[in-house]
Amino acid sequence: MSDNPSILVINDDCKDSATVFSALEERKKPENESPDGDQMRLRKQNGVINELTRRRRLFDLPLNEAIREITEIAARTLNVERAGVWLLHSEDESKIRAVDLYEWSRDCHCAGTEVSKADYPAYFRAFDEEIEIAAAADAPLDPLGIASMLDAPIRIGGRAVGVICHEHAGSAPREWRLDEQNFAGALAGLISLLLEAAERREAEAALRRSQRQYRELIDSIEGIVWERDAETYVFSFVSRQAERLLGYPVENWLRNPDFWGAHIHPDDRDYAIEFCRQSAARGLGKYEFDYRMIAADGRLVWLRDIVTVDAATDKENARLRGVTVDITEQKRVEDAIRFQAHLLDTVEQAVIAADLSGKITYWNRFAHKLYGWTAPQALGRGILELTTPEDGRERASQIMKSLGDGESRAGEFPVKTKNGRSFPAHVMISPIHDSQGSLIGVVEFSKDISERKRAEAALAEANRRAIRQYDLLLQRLAALAQATGAARDAETVFRAILEFAREFVPCSALFISLYDCEASARKGIFFWYNGRELDAANLKPVKVGDGPVGHQPKRHVVPV
Protein backbone atom coordinates (compact mmCIF):
# COMPACT_ATOMS: atom_id res chain seq x y z
CA MET A 1 0.00 0.00 0.00
CA SER A 2 1.29 3.45 -0.93
CA ASP A 3 1.66 6.20 1.64
CA ASN A 4 1.12 8.80 -1.13
CA PRO A 5 -2.55 9.10 -2.24
CA SER A 6 -1.50 10.00 -5.81
CA ILE A 7 0.76 6.95 -6.22
CA LEU A 8 -0.36 3.41 -6.74
CA VAL A 9 2.00 0.66 -5.64
CA ILE A 10 1.50 -2.73 -7.24
CA ASN A 11 3.29 -5.81 -5.98
CA ASP A 12 3.40 -9.25 -7.43
CA ASP A 13 0.81 -10.46 -4.94
CA CYS A 14 -1.85 -8.18 -6.52
CA LYS A 15 -3.18 -10.70 -9.01
CA ASP A 16 -6.78 -9.69 -9.63
CA SER A 17 -8.95 -6.59 -10.07
CA ALA A 18 -10.64 -7.00 -6.69
CA THR A 19 -7.32 -6.86 -4.93
CA VAL A 20 -6.27 -3.82 -6.94
CA PHE A 21 -9.42 -1.86 -6.32
CA SER A 22 -9.34 -2.77 -2.65
CA ALA A 23 -5.91 -1.23 -2.62
CA LEU A 24 -7.21 1.79 -4.51
CA GLU A 25 -9.94 2.33 -1.95
CA GLU A 26 -7.53 1.84 0.95
CA ARG A 27 -5.12 4.45 -0.35
CA LYS A 28 -7.83 7.12 -0.12
CA LYS A 29 -7.78 6.91 3.68
CA PRO A 30 -6.16 9.83 5.51
CA GLU A 31 -2.46 9.54 5.83
CA ASN A 32 -1.44 9.08 9.44
CA GLU A 33 2.12 7.95 8.99
CA SER A 34 5.21 10.19 8.92
CA PRO A 35 7.76 9.97 6.08
CA ASP A 36 10.30 7.33 6.81
CA GLY A 37 13.38 7.26 4.65
CA ASP A 38 17.01 7.73 4.52
CA GLN A 39 18.05 11.42 4.61
CA MET A 40 20.81 10.86 2.12
CA ARG A 41 18.44 9.23 -0.34
CA LEU A 42 15.97 12.02 0.19
CA ARG A 43 18.61 14.68 -0.46
CA LYS A 44 19.63 12.86 -3.62
CA GLN A 45 16.07 12.74 -4.85
CA ASN A 46 15.48 16.39 -4.02
CA GLY A 47 18.73 17.31 -5.72
CA VAL A 48 17.73 15.49 -8.85
CA ILE A 49 14.33 17.23 -8.89
CA ASN A 50 15.87 20.64 -8.26
CA GLU A 51 18.44 20.06 -11.00
CA LEU A 52 15.78 18.99 -13.47
CA THR A 53 13.47 21.92 -12.72
CA ARG A 54 16.34 24.43 -13.02
CA ARG A 55 17.58 22.94 -16.26
CA ARG A 56 15.99 25.18 -18.88
CA ARG A 57 17.69 23.13 -21.58
CA LEU A 58 15.30 20.31 -20.79
CA PHE A 59 12.35 22.42 -21.91
CA ASP A 60 14.11 23.40 -25.11
CA LEU A 61 14.75 19.82 -26.16
CA PRO A 62 12.37 17.89 -28.39
CA LEU A 63 9.81 16.17 -26.16
CA ASN A 64 11.05 12.63 -26.82
CA GLU A 65 14.64 13.56 -25.91
CA ALA A 66 13.56 15.26 -22.68
CA ILE A 67 11.52 12.22 -21.67
CA ARG A 68 14.48 9.94 -22.40
CA GLU A 69 16.57 11.93 -19.92
CA ILE A 70 13.83 11.67 -17.29
CA THR A 71 13.39 7.91 -17.66
CA GLU A 72 17.14 7.35 -17.31
CA ILE A 73 17.28 9.56 -14.19
CA ALA A 74 14.18 7.83 -12.76
CA ALA A 75 15.62 4.34 -13.20
CA ARG A 76 19.00 5.23 -11.70
CA THR A 77 17.67 7.33 -8.86
CA LEU A 78 15.07 4.79 -7.73
CA ASN A 79 17.32 1.87 -8.67
CA VAL A 80 14.72 0.10 -10.82
CA GLU A 81 15.22 -2.09 -13.88
CA ARG A 82 12.85 -0.16 -16.11
CA ALA A 83 11.29 3.28 -16.15
CA GLY A 84 8.84 4.33 -18.80
CA VAL A 85 6.42 7.04 -19.78
CA TRP A 86 3.07 5.88 -21.16
CA LEU A 87 0.49 8.20 -22.73
CA LEU A 88 -3.05 7.74 -23.92
CA HIS A 89 -3.02 7.96 -27.69
CA SER A 90 -6.28 6.65 -29.17
CA GLU A 91 -9.34 8.83 -29.63
CA ASP A 92 -11.47 6.62 -27.37
CA GLU A 93 -8.64 6.38 -24.80
CA SER A 94 -8.67 2.61 -25.07
CA LYS A 95 -4.89 2.33 -25.48
CA ILE A 96 -1.76 3.71 -23.97
CA ARG A 97 1.57 3.69 -25.73
CA ALA A 98 5.10 3.75 -24.40
CA VAL A 99 6.58 7.09 -25.44
CA ASP A 100 9.88 5.91 -23.97
CA LEU A 101 10.82 2.76 -22.01
CA TYR A 102 14.35 2.70 -20.55
CA GLU A 103 15.96 -0.58 -19.49
CA TRP A 104 18.83 0.14 -17.10
CA SER A 105 20.71 -3.18 -17.28
CA ARG A 106 20.99 -2.93 -21.06
CA ASP A 107 21.16 0.88 -21.13
CA CYS A 108 18.73 1.04 -24.01
CA HIS A 109 15.53 2.83 -24.92
CA CYS A 110 12.53 1.60 -26.84
CA ALA A 111 9.12 2.96 -27.67
CA GLY A 112 5.85 2.08 -29.35
CA THR A 113 4.69 -0.73 -27.09
CA GLU A 114 0.93 -0.55 -26.59
CA VAL A 115 -1.34 -1.67 -23.77
CA SER A 116 -5.06 -1.93 -24.53
CA LYS A 117 -8.09 -1.56 -22.32
CA ALA A 118 -9.38 -4.94 -23.42
CA ASP A 119 -6.27 -6.65 -22.01
CA TYR A 120 -5.98 -4.64 -18.78
CA PRO A 121 -9.45 -3.36 -17.83
CA ALA A 122 -8.62 -2.48 -14.21
CA TYR A 123 -5.76 -0.28 -15.34
CA PHE A 124 -8.03 1.68 -17.66
CA ARG A 125 -10.97 1.70 -15.24
CA ALA A 126 -8.85 3.86 -13.00
CA PHE A 127 -8.61 6.40 -15.87
CA ASP A 128 -12.34 6.15 -16.59
CA GLU A 129 -13.30 6.69 -12.91
CA GLU A 130 -10.71 9.47 -12.54
CA ILE A 131 -8.90 7.66 -9.74
CA GLU A 132 -5.74 9.57 -8.94
CA ILE A 133 -3.50 6.91 -10.48
CA ALA A 134 -3.91 4.22 -13.00
CA ALA A 135 -1.65 1.23 -12.87
CA ALA A 136 -1.44 -2.11 -14.55
CA ALA A 137 -2.83 -3.81 -11.48
CA ASP A 138 -4.20 -6.71 -13.45
CA ALA A 139 -0.99 -7.21 -15.42
CA PRO A 140 0.76 -10.58 -14.95
CA LEU A 141 4.02 -9.41 -13.38
CA ASP A 142 5.84 -12.75 -13.13
CA PRO A 143 6.45 -13.37 -16.86
CA LEU A 144 8.02 -9.93 -17.11
CA GLY A 145 10.21 -10.54 -14.08
CA ILE A 146 8.63 -7.55 -12.35
CA ALA A 147 8.19 -7.88 -8.62
CA SER A 148 6.72 -4.43 -7.95
CA MET A 149 5.56 -1.33 -9.89
CA LEU A 150 5.34 2.26 -8.83
CA ASP A 151 3.14 4.40 -11.15
CA ALA A 152 2.56 8.13 -10.87
CA PRO A 153 -0.13 9.91 -12.92
CA ILE A 154 0.71 12.48 -15.57
CA ARG A 155 -2.02 15.10 -15.65
CA ILE A 156 -2.82 18.00 -17.94
CA GLY A 157 -5.62 20.29 -16.90
CA GLY A 158 -6.53 17.99 -14.04
CA ARG A 159 -7.07 15.02 -16.36
CA ALA A 160 -4.83 11.97 -16.35
CA VAL A 161 -3.23 11.54 -19.76
CA GLY A 162 -0.61 8.94 -18.86
CA VAL A 163 1.75 7.58 -16.22
CA ILE A 164 5.40 7.34 -15.41
CA CYS A 165 5.95 3.69 -14.51
CA HIS A 166 8.84 2.35 -12.39
CA GLU A 167 9.31 -1.41 -12.63
CA HIS A 168 11.31 -3.22 -9.92
CA ALA A 169 12.68 -6.60 -10.97
CA GLY A 170 13.51 -9.30 -8.47
CA SER A 171 12.26 -12.28 -6.59
CA ALA A 172 10.65 -10.35 -3.74
CA PRO A 173 8.18 -7.44 -3.80
CA ARG A 174 9.57 -3.99 -3.04
CA GLU A 175 8.17 -1.71 -0.41
CA TRP A 176 8.07 1.77 -1.92
CA ARG A 177 8.97 4.45 0.58
CA LEU A 178 7.08 7.72 0.78
CA ASP A 179 10.08 9.70 -0.52
CA GLU A 180 10.22 7.39 -3.52
CA GLN A 181 6.54 7.87 -4.14
CA ASN A 182 6.96 11.65 -3.84
CA PHE A 183 9.91 11.50 -6.20
CA ALA A 184 7.82 9.57 -8.75
CA GLY A 185 5.03 12.14 -8.36
CA ALA A 186 7.48 15.00 -8.88
CA LEU A 187 8.79 13.40 -12.07
CA ALA A 188 5.21 12.96 -13.27
CA GLY A 189 4.57 16.64 -12.57
CA LEU A 190 7.70 17.60 -14.48
CA ILE A 191 6.58 15.49 -17.44
CA SER A 192 3.21 17.25 -17.29
CA LEU A 193 5.03 20.57 -17.59
CA LEU A 194 7.05 19.22 -20.52
CA LEU A 195 3.89 18.04 -22.27
CA GLU A 196 2.20 21.39 -21.70
CA ALA A 197 5.32 23.19 -22.93
CA ALA A 198 5.44 20.94 -26.00
CA GLU A 199 1.77 21.58 -26.69
CA ARG A 200 2.35 25.30 -26.22
CA ARG A 201 5.35 25.20 -28.58
CA GLU A 202 3.33 23.26 -31.13
CA ALA A 203 0.44 25.70 -30.79
CA GLU A 204 2.81 28.64 -31.16
CA ALA A 205 4.48 26.99 -34.14
CA ALA A 206 1.08 26.26 -35.65
CA LEU A 207 0.10 29.88 -35.05
CA ARG A 208 3.30 31.08 -36.71
CA ARG A 209 2.70 28.73 -39.62
CA SER A 210 -0.84 29.93 -39.89
CA GLN A 211 0.24 33.56 -39.77
CA ARG A 212 2.96 32.90 -42.33
CA GLN A 213 0.54 31.07 -44.59
CA TYR A 214 -2.00 33.85 -44.13
CA ARG A 215 0.61 36.46 -44.98
CA GLU A 216 1.82 34.47 -47.98
CA LEU A 217 -1.77 33.99 -49.10
CA ILE A 218 -2.53 37.69 -48.73
CA ASP A 219 0.68 38.70 -50.48
CA SER A 220 0.03 36.26 -53.32
CA ILE A 221 -3.29 37.90 -54.16
CA GLU A 222 -3.02 40.02 -57.30
CA GLY A 223 -4.29 43.05 -55.48
CA ILE A 224 -3.73 45.19 -52.38
CA VAL A 225 -5.56 43.76 -49.35
CA TRP A 226 -6.23 46.48 -46.79
CA GLU A 227 -8.21 47.59 -43.77
CA ARG A 228 -8.91 51.18 -42.78
CA ASP A 229 -11.11 53.38 -40.62
CA ALA A 230 -14.37 54.33 -42.34
CA GLU A 231 -14.25 57.94 -41.10
CA THR A 232 -10.57 58.91 -41.12
CA TYR A 233 -9.39 56.55 -43.91
CA VAL A 234 -6.38 55.70 -41.73
CA PHE A 235 -5.06 52.28 -42.74
CA SER A 236 -4.46 49.62 -40.10
CA PHE A 237 -3.29 46.96 -42.56
CA VAL A 238 -1.91 47.02 -46.11
CA SER A 239 -0.50 43.97 -47.90
CA ARG A 240 2.94 43.92 -49.52
CA GLN A 241 1.34 43.89 -52.95
CA ALA A 242 0.99 47.69 -52.52
CA GLU A 243 4.73 48.13 -52.89
CA ARG A 244 4.91 45.83 -55.91
CA LEU A 245 1.95 47.50 -57.56
CA LEU A 246 2.59 51.19 -56.88
CA GLY A 247 6.16 51.32 -55.61
CA TYR A 248 5.43 52.91 -52.24
CA PRO A 249 6.56 51.16 -49.00
CA VAL A 250 3.71 49.80 -46.90
CA GLU A 251 4.90 51.98 -44.01
CA ASN A 252 3.90 55.10 -45.99
CA TRP A 253 0.31 53.88 -46.15
CA LEU A 254 0.20 53.13 -42.42
CA ARG A 255 1.98 56.21 -41.07
CA ASN A 256 0.53 58.97 -43.22
CA PRO A 257 -3.25 59.40 -42.75
CA ASP A 258 -3.50 61.43 -45.99
CA PHE A 259 -1.37 59.10 -48.10
CA TRP A 260 -4.20 57.47 -50.05
CA GLY A 261 -6.05 60.67 -50.93
CA ALA A 262 -2.86 62.57 -51.70
CA HIS A 263 -1.79 60.05 -54.34
CA ILE A 264 -5.11 59.76 -56.17
CA HIS A 265 -5.03 61.48 -59.55
CA PRO A 266 -6.28 65.08 -59.11
CA ASP A 267 -9.08 64.53 -61.64
CA ASP A 268 -10.39 61.54 -59.65
CA ARG A 269 -9.62 62.59 -56.06
CA ASP A 270 -12.86 64.41 -55.19
CA TYR A 271 -14.97 61.77 -56.89
CA ALA A 272 -13.28 58.83 -55.11
CA ILE A 273 -13.44 60.35 -51.62
CA GLU A 274 -17.01 61.57 -52.07
CA PHE A 275 -18.12 58.22 -53.43
CA CYS A 276 -16.80 56.51 -50.29
CA ARG A 277 -18.57 58.98 -48.04
CA GLN A 278 -21.87 58.69 -49.86
CA SER A 279 -21.68 54.89 -49.86
CA ALA A 280 -21.10 54.92 -46.10
CA ALA A 281 -23.95 57.41 -45.61
CA ARG A 282 -26.33 55.17 -47.56
CA GLY A 283 -25.32 52.24 -45.38
CA LEU A 284 -24.04 50.13 -48.24
CA GLY A 285 -22.45 46.92 -47.02
CA LYS A 286 -20.48 46.41 -50.22
CA TYR A 287 -19.50 48.69 -53.06
CA GLU A 288 -16.77 49.19 -55.63
CA PHE A 289 -15.44 52.06 -57.71
CA ASP A 290 -12.66 52.85 -60.18
CA TYR A 291 -10.09 55.62 -60.05
CA ARG A 292 -6.52 56.44 -61.03
CA MET A 293 -3.55 56.62 -58.69
CA ILE A 294 -0.07 58.02 -59.30
CA ALA A 295 2.65 55.40 -58.79
CA ALA A 296 6.06 56.17 -57.30
CA ASP A 297 7.62 56.22 -60.78
CA GLY A 298 4.98 58.64 -62.09
CA ARG A 299 2.86 56.07 -63.89
CA LEU A 300 -0.92 56.41 -63.89
CA VAL A 301 -2.43 53.18 -62.60
CA TRP A 302 -6.12 52.43 -62.94
CA LEU A 303 -7.40 50.80 -59.74
CA ARG A 304 -10.67 49.24 -58.63
CA ASP A 305 -11.53 49.20 -54.93
CA ILE A 306 -13.82 46.32 -53.88
CA VAL A 307 -14.97 47.37 -50.40
CA THR A 308 -16.81 45.57 -47.61
CA VAL A 309 -18.06 47.38 -44.51
CA ASP A 310 -17.37 45.44 -41.30
CA ALA A 311 -20.88 44.97 -39.89
CA ALA A 312 -19.50 43.63 -36.60
CA THR A 313 -18.35 47.09 -35.54
CA ASP A 314 -20.55 49.94 -34.47
CA LYS A 315 -21.21 52.86 -36.81
CA GLU A 316 -18.79 55.20 -35.06
CA ASN A 317 -15.94 52.68 -35.24
CA ALA A 318 -16.79 51.09 -38.57
CA ARG A 319 -13.94 49.45 -40.42
CA LEU A 320 -13.61 49.11 -44.15
CA ARG A 321 -11.93 46.05 -45.59
CA GLY A 322 -11.21 45.56 -49.23
CA VAL A 323 -9.03 44.61 -52.14
CA THR A 324 -7.58 47.09 -54.62
CA VAL A 325 -6.84 45.52 -57.99
CA ASP A 326 -4.90 46.88 -60.94
CA ILE A 327 -7.29 47.31 -63.89
CA THR A 328 -4.93 49.36 -66.08
CA GLU A 329 -4.72 46.61 -68.69
CA GLN A 330 -8.46 46.07 -68.51
CA LYS A 331 -9.05 49.77 -69.13
CA ARG A 332 -6.62 49.68 -72.05
CA VAL A 333 -8.43 46.70 -73.52
CA GLU A 334 -11.80 48.37 -72.96
CA ASP A 335 -10.57 51.51 -74.73
CA ALA A 336 -9.21 49.39 -77.56
CA ILE A 337 -12.49 47.50 -77.80
CA ARG A 338 -14.46 50.74 -77.86
CA PHE A 339 -12.16 52.10 -80.57
CA GLN A 340 -12.42 48.90 -82.58
CA ALA A 341 -16.18 48.84 -82.09
CA HIS A 342 -16.32 52.42 -83.35
CA LEU A 343 -14.24 51.44 -86.36
CA LEU A 344 -16.49 48.48 -87.03
CA ASP A 345 -19.52 50.72 -86.75
CA THR A 346 -18.10 53.13 -89.33
CA VAL A 347 -17.40 50.53 -92.02
CA GLU A 348 -20.13 50.04 -94.61
CA GLN A 349 -20.22 46.31 -93.99
CA ALA A 350 -22.10 44.13 -91.59
CA VAL A 351 -19.69 42.68 -89.01
CA ILE A 352 -21.04 39.75 -86.99
CA ALA A 353 -19.16 37.55 -84.49
CA ALA A 354 -20.40 34.20 -83.22
CA ASP A 355 -19.14 31.50 -80.87
CA LEU A 356 -18.56 27.89 -81.84
CA SER A 357 -22.23 27.05 -81.34
CA GLY A 358 -23.21 29.77 -83.81
CA LYS A 359 -24.61 32.13 -81.15
CA ILE A 360 -24.10 35.78 -82.06
CA THR A 361 -21.72 37.63 -79.72
CA TYR A 362 -21.22 40.86 -81.68
CA TRP A 363 -23.49 42.78 -84.11
CA ASN A 364 -22.34 46.13 -85.47
CA ARG A 365 -24.39 49.15 -86.55
CA PHE A 366 -24.31 48.31 -90.25
CA ALA A 367 -25.54 44.76 -89.53
CA HIS A 368 -28.66 46.40 -88.12
CA LYS A 369 -29.01 48.48 -91.27
CA LEU A 370 -28.41 45.52 -93.58
CA TYR A 371 -30.45 42.81 -91.87
CA GLY A 372 -32.98 44.83 -89.88
CA TRP A 373 -32.27 43.26 -86.47
CA THR A 374 -31.01 45.53 -83.67
CA ALA A 375 -28.00 44.41 -81.63
CA PRO A 376 -30.08 43.56 -78.52
CA GLN A 377 -32.41 41.50 -80.71
CA ALA A 378 -29.56 39.67 -82.43
CA LEU A 379 -27.17 38.90 -79.55
CA GLY A 380 -27.49 35.32 -78.38
CA ARG A 381 -29.49 34.24 -81.45
CA GLY A 382 -28.21 31.84 -84.10
CA ILE A 383 -26.28 33.51 -86.91
CA LEU A 384 -27.74 31.19 -89.56
CA GLU A 385 -31.24 31.68 -88.18
CA LEU A 386 -31.10 35.47 -88.63
CA THR A 387 -29.07 35.87 -91.82
CA THR A 388 -29.41 32.79 -94.02
CA PRO A 389 -32.43 31.68 -96.09
CA GLU A 390 -33.70 28.19 -95.41
CA ASP A 391 -32.37 26.79 -98.68
CA GLY A 392 -28.84 28.13 -98.02
CA ARG A 393 -28.31 27.01 -94.44
CA GLU A 394 -26.81 23.61 -95.19
CA ARG A 395 -24.10 25.15 -97.36
CA ALA A 396 -23.42 27.90 -94.81
CA SER A 397 -23.22 25.34 -91.99
CA GLN A 398 -20.67 23.27 -93.91
CA ILE A 399 -18.53 26.36 -94.51
CA MET A 400 -18.53 27.25 -90.81
CA LYS A 401 -17.52 23.73 -89.86
CA SER A 402 -14.62 23.85 -92.32
CA LEU A 403 -13.03 26.88 -90.59
CA GLY A 404 -11.12 24.59 -88.24
CA ASP A 405 -8.25 24.51 -90.74
CA GLY A 406 -7.59 28.19 -89.94
CA GLU A 407 -8.43 29.48 -93.43
CA SER A 408 -11.04 32.12 -94.25
CA ARG A 409 -13.85 31.53 -96.72
CA ALA A 410 -15.32 34.16 -99.05
CA GLY A 411 -17.89 34.26 -101.82
CA GLU A 412 -21.35 35.33 -102.89
CA PHE A 413 -24.20 33.96 -100.82
CA PRO A 414 -27.90 34.61 -100.57
CA VAL A 415 -28.87 36.25 -97.27
CA LYS A 416 -32.15 37.49 -95.83
CA THR A 417 -33.44 40.45 -93.85
CA LYS A 418 -35.67 40.52 -90.79
CA ASN A 419 -38.77 40.79 -92.96
CA GLY A 420 -37.71 37.75 -95.02
CA ARG A 421 -36.44 39.56 -98.13
CA SER A 422 -33.53 37.74 -99.77
CA PHE A 423 -30.69 39.50 -101.54
CA PRO A 424 -27.19 38.63 -102.75
CA ALA A 425 -24.23 39.51 -100.52
CA HIS A 426 -20.49 39.12 -100.62
CA VAL A 427 -19.62 37.26 -97.41
CA MET A 428 -16.22 36.56 -95.86
CA ILE A 429 -16.08 34.24 -92.85
CA SER A 430 -12.88 34.02 -90.78
CA PRO A 431 -11.98 31.88 -87.72
CA ILE A 432 -11.23 33.50 -84.34
CA HIS A 433 -8.52 31.88 -82.16
CA ASP A 434 -7.53 32.52 -78.56
CA SER A 435 -3.97 33.15 -77.36
CA GLN A 436 -3.28 29.37 -77.29
CA GLY A 437 -4.42 29.00 -80.89
CA SER A 438 -7.70 27.25 -80.09
CA LEU A 439 -10.70 28.04 -82.27
CA ILE A 440 -13.24 29.99 -80.20
CA GLY A 441 -15.57 31.49 -82.80
CA VAL A 442 -16.03 33.08 -86.21
CA VAL A 443 -16.40 36.61 -87.56
CA GLU A 444 -18.43 37.34 -90.68
CA PHE A 445 -18.19 40.38 -92.96
CA SER A 446 -21.06 40.84 -95.40
CA LYS A 447 -22.03 43.52 -97.93
CA ASP A 448 -25.11 43.92 -100.09
CA ILE A 449 -24.12 43.47 -103.74
CA SER A 450 -27.62 43.86 -105.22
CA GLU A 451 -26.68 47.05 -107.11
CA ARG A 452 -23.53 45.47 -108.42
CA LYS A 453 -25.45 42.42 -109.56
CA ARG A 454 -28.02 44.64 -111.31
CA ALA A 455 -25.22 46.62 -113.01
CA GLU A 456 -23.56 43.39 -114.06
CA ALA A 457 -26.85 42.13 -115.45
CA ALA A 458 -27.42 45.42 -117.34
CA LEU A 459 -23.90 45.30 -118.77
CA ALA A 460 -24.39 41.73 -119.86
CA GLU A 461 -27.66 42.67 -121.58
CA ALA A 462 -25.97 45.65 -123.30
CA ASN A 463 -23.22 43.36 -124.52
CA ARG A 464 -25.79 40.97 -125.89
CA ARG A 465 -27.60 43.82 -127.67
CA ALA A 466 -24.32 45.14 -129.11
CA ILE A 467 -23.47 41.72 -130.44
CA ARG A 468 -26.88 41.45 -132.02
CA GLN A 469 -26.48 44.94 -133.58
CA TYR A 470 -23.02 44.07 -134.81
CA ASP A 471 -24.28 40.90 -136.42
CA LEU A 472 -27.06 42.86 -138.07
CA LEU A 473 -24.61 45.54 -139.23
CA LEU A 474 -22.43 42.93 -140.84
CA GLN A 475 -25.47 41.51 -142.57
CA ARG A 476 -26.53 44.96 -143.92
CA LEU A 477 -23.02 45.84 -144.96
CA ALA A 478 -22.91 42.67 -146.92
CA ALA A 479 -26.27 43.55 -148.44
CA LEU A 480 -25.07 47.11 -149.18
CA ALA A 481 -21.94 45.84 -150.85
CA GLN A 482 -24.02 43.47 -152.89
CA ALA A 483 -26.45 46.24 -153.87
CA THR A 484 -23.83 48.76 -154.81
CA GLY A 485 -21.83 46.20 -156.70
CA ALA A 486 -24.81 45.23 -158.77
CA ALA A 487 -26.04 48.80 -159.41
CA ARG A 488 -25.85 50.21 -162.97
CA ASP A 489 -26.43 53.86 -162.13
CA ALA A 490 -25.37 56.28 -159.37
CA GLU A 491 -28.95 56.88 -158.25
CA THR A 492 -29.33 53.26 -157.17
CA VAL A 493 -26.03 53.40 -155.26
CA PHE A 494 -27.01 56.66 -153.57
CA ARG A 495 -30.34 55.31 -152.39
CA ALA A 496 -28.78 52.06 -151.05
CA ILE A 497 -26.26 54.13 -149.05
CA LEU A 498 -29.07 56.38 -147.73
CA GLU A 499 -31.11 53.40 -146.58
CA PHE A 500 -28.10 51.91 -144.78
CA ALA A 501 -27.13 55.24 -143.14
CA ARG A 502 -30.64 55.94 -141.89
CA GLU A 503 -30.74 52.53 -140.10
CA PHE A 504 -27.25 52.17 -138.71
CA VAL A 505 -25.75 55.69 -138.58
CA PRO A 506 -28.18 58.02 -136.81
CA CYS A 507 -28.03 61.29 -138.78
CA SER A 508 -30.21 64.15 -140.03
CA ALA A 509 -28.41 64.76 -143.34
CA LEU A 510 -26.55 62.86 -146.02
CA PHE A 511 -24.36 64.58 -148.65
CA ILE A 512 -22.59 62.73 -151.40
CA SER A 513 -20.10 64.54 -153.61
CA LEU A 514 -17.61 63.67 -156.33
CA TYR A 515 -14.18 65.16 -156.64
CA ASP A 516 -13.30 67.07 -159.78
CA CYS A 517 -9.53 66.81 -160.16
CA GLU A 518 -9.26 69.46 -162.85
CA ALA A 519 -11.28 72.04 -160.90
CA SER A 520 -9.82 70.87 -157.59
CA ALA A 521 -13.31 71.02 -156.14
CA ARG A 522 -16.08 68.80 -154.85
CA LYS A 523 -19.38 68.74 -156.68
CA GLY A 524 -22.52 67.57 -154.89
CA ILE A 525 -24.48 64.87 -156.66
CA PHE A 526 -26.87 63.74 -153.86
CA PHE A 527 -28.24 65.64 -150.84
CA TRP A 528 -30.72 64.42 -148.22
CA TYR A 529 -31.76 66.55 -145.25
CA ASN A 530 -34.38 66.10 -142.51
CA GLY A 531 -36.19 63.38 -144.36
CA ARG A 532 -36.29 65.26 -147.63
CA GLU A 533 -34.30 64.76 -150.75
CA LEU A 534 -33.02 68.06 -152.18
CA ASP A 535 -31.78 68.89 -155.65
CA ALA A 536 -27.98 68.74 -155.49
CA ALA A 537 -27.60 70.28 -158.95
CA ASN A 538 -28.22 73.71 -157.48
CA LEU A 539 -25.32 73.36 -155.05
CA LYS A 540 -22.15 75.15 -155.97
CA PRO A 541 -18.90 73.14 -156.16
CA VAL A 542 -16.83 73.37 -153.01
CA LYS A 543 -13.18 74.24 -153.50
CA VAL A 544 -10.74 71.95 -151.81
CA GLY A 545 -9.73 73.58 -148.53
CA ASP A 546 -13.02 75.49 -148.03
CA GLY A 547 -15.48 74.31 -145.39
CA PRO A 548 -15.74 71.10 -143.39
CA VAL A 549 -15.95 68.96 -146.53
CA GLY A 550 -13.35 70.80 -148.60
CA HIS A 551 -10.35 68.71 -147.62
CA GLN A 552 -8.07 67.24 -150.26
CA PRO A 553 -8.97 63.60 -150.93
CA LYS A 554 -6.35 60.94 -151.11
CA ARG A 555 -5.41 60.05 -154.68
CA HIS A 556 -5.64 56.35 -155.44
CA VAL A 557 -5.35 54.86 -158.88
CA VAL A 558 -7.26 51.68 -159.33
CA PRO A 559 -5.70 49.56 -162.05
CA VAL A 560 -8.03 48.28 -164.74
Side-chain angles (χ1 to χ4, degrees), residues 30-90:
E31 181 181 347
N32 296 320
E33 299 181 29
S34 300
D36 182 18
D38 183 84
Q39 291 297 323
M40 184 177 297
R41 188 178 62 252
L42 183 59
R43 283 195 298 271
K44 177 182 177 182
Q45 295 168 0
N46 289 338
V48 169
I49 294 298
N50 290 335
E51 174 63 23
L52 286 174
T53 54
R54 288 197 303 267
R55 191 186 299 176
R56 294 301 307 169
R57 186 185 68 85
L58 191 68
F59 289 86
D60 296 330
L61 291 174
L63 180 63
N64 61 332
E65 294 184 18
I67 289 178
R68 285 163 66 98
E69 284 198 17
I70 291 177
T71 54
E72 289 187 18
I73 290 173
R76 290 167 179 164
T77 303
L78 292 183
N79 194 24
V80 294
E81 174 59 19
R82 283 187 293 269
V85 173
W86 300 71
L87 298 177
L88 291 167
H89 76 95
S90 60

Side-chain angles (χ1 to χ4, degrees), residues 262-419:
H263 289 82
I264 297 177
H265 190 278
D267 293 345
D268 299 343
R269 186 175 300 139
D270 292 342
Y271 151 74
I273 295 175
E274 185 61 25
F275 184 89
C276 289
R277 288 175 179 168
Q278 290 182 5
S279 299
R282 293 198 303 267
L284 297 179
K286 293 183 178 180
Y287 57 90
E288 57 184 69
F289 60 101
D290 301 345
Y291 60 96
R292 289 168 294 174
M293 205 163 180
I294 303 172
D297 58 5
R299 291 177 297 114
L300 282 182
V301 181
W302 270 103
L303 301 174
R304 174 170 295 159
D305 274 13
I306 304 170
V307 185
T308 300
V309 180
D310 184 5
T313 58
D314 56 74
K315 187 175 181 180
E316 293 182 357
N317 299 305
R319 309 293 298 173
L320 302 179
R321 297 188 177 99
V323 179
T324 299
V325 294
D326 181 0
I327 59 169
T328 304
E329 180 62 17
Q330 177 182 334
K331 287 290 186 180
R332 187 194 66 77
V333 171
E334 288 175 355
D335 289 343
I337 290 174
R338 279 192 293 269
F339 177 72
Q340 292 168 359
H342 176 71
L343 288 180
L344 293 176
D345 277 341
T346 59
V347 299
E348 293 297 308
Q349 290 191 51
V351 182
I352 307 169
D355 60 20
L356 292 179
S357 67
K359 300 299 182 183
I360 295 171
T361 58
Y362 178 76
W363 184 273
N364 79 334
R365 177 190 58 81
F366 198 81
H368 174 203
K369 180 180 178 181
L370 187 63
Y371 293 103
W373 301 92
T374 65
Q377 291 172 336
L379 294 177
R381 302 279 295 275
I383 187 171
L384 299 183
E385 171 193 355
L386 297 191
T387 65
T388 308
E390 190 71 33
D391 56 359
R393 291 184 184 177
E394 183 176 354
R395 179 190 176 199
S397 178
Q398 292 298 324
I399 291 174
M400 292 186 67
K401 290 178 180 178
S402 69
L403 294 176
D405 60 7
E407 298 294 332
S408 299
R409 302 289 188 273
E412 296 179 5
F413 299 91
V415 296
K416 69 170 185 175
T417 64
K418 182 180 179 181
N419 61 16

Side-chain angles (χ1 to χ4, degrees), residues 209-255:
R209 287 194 301 271
S210 177
Q211 290 174 337
R212 184 176 63 255
Q213 292 170 354
Y214 174 77
R215 171 66 70 177
E216 291 173 353
L217 175 63
I218 292 296
D219 288 342
S220 68
I221 294 175
E222 289 297 322
I224 305 170
V225 181
W226 51 262
E227 181 185 65
R228 70 186 182 207
D229 186 272
E231 292 293 327
T232 64
Y233 298 139
V234 174
F235 287 90
S236 57
F237 175 81
V238 177
S239 68
R240 291 293 170 186
Q241 190 68 19
E243 187 167 351
R244 292 191 287 270
L245 183 59
L246 295 169
Y248 301 107
V250 170
E251 291 72 18
N252 291 13
W253 296 70
L254 300 176
R255 294 174 183 172

Side-chain angles (χ1 to χ4, degrees), residues 459-497:
L459 179 60
E461 180 60 28
N463 288 336
R464 286 192 294 271
R465 286 198 304 268
I467 292 172
R468 287 196 300 269
Q469 289 290 332
Y470 180 70
D471 289 342
L472 182 60
L473 175 61
L474 291 178
Q475 294 174 9
R476 293 308 302 268
L477 283 173
L480 176 62
Q482 184 178 3
T484 56
R488 293 293 181 264
D489 58 82
E491 186 71 20
T492 302
V493 173
F494 297 156
R495 294 197 179 281
I497 292 174

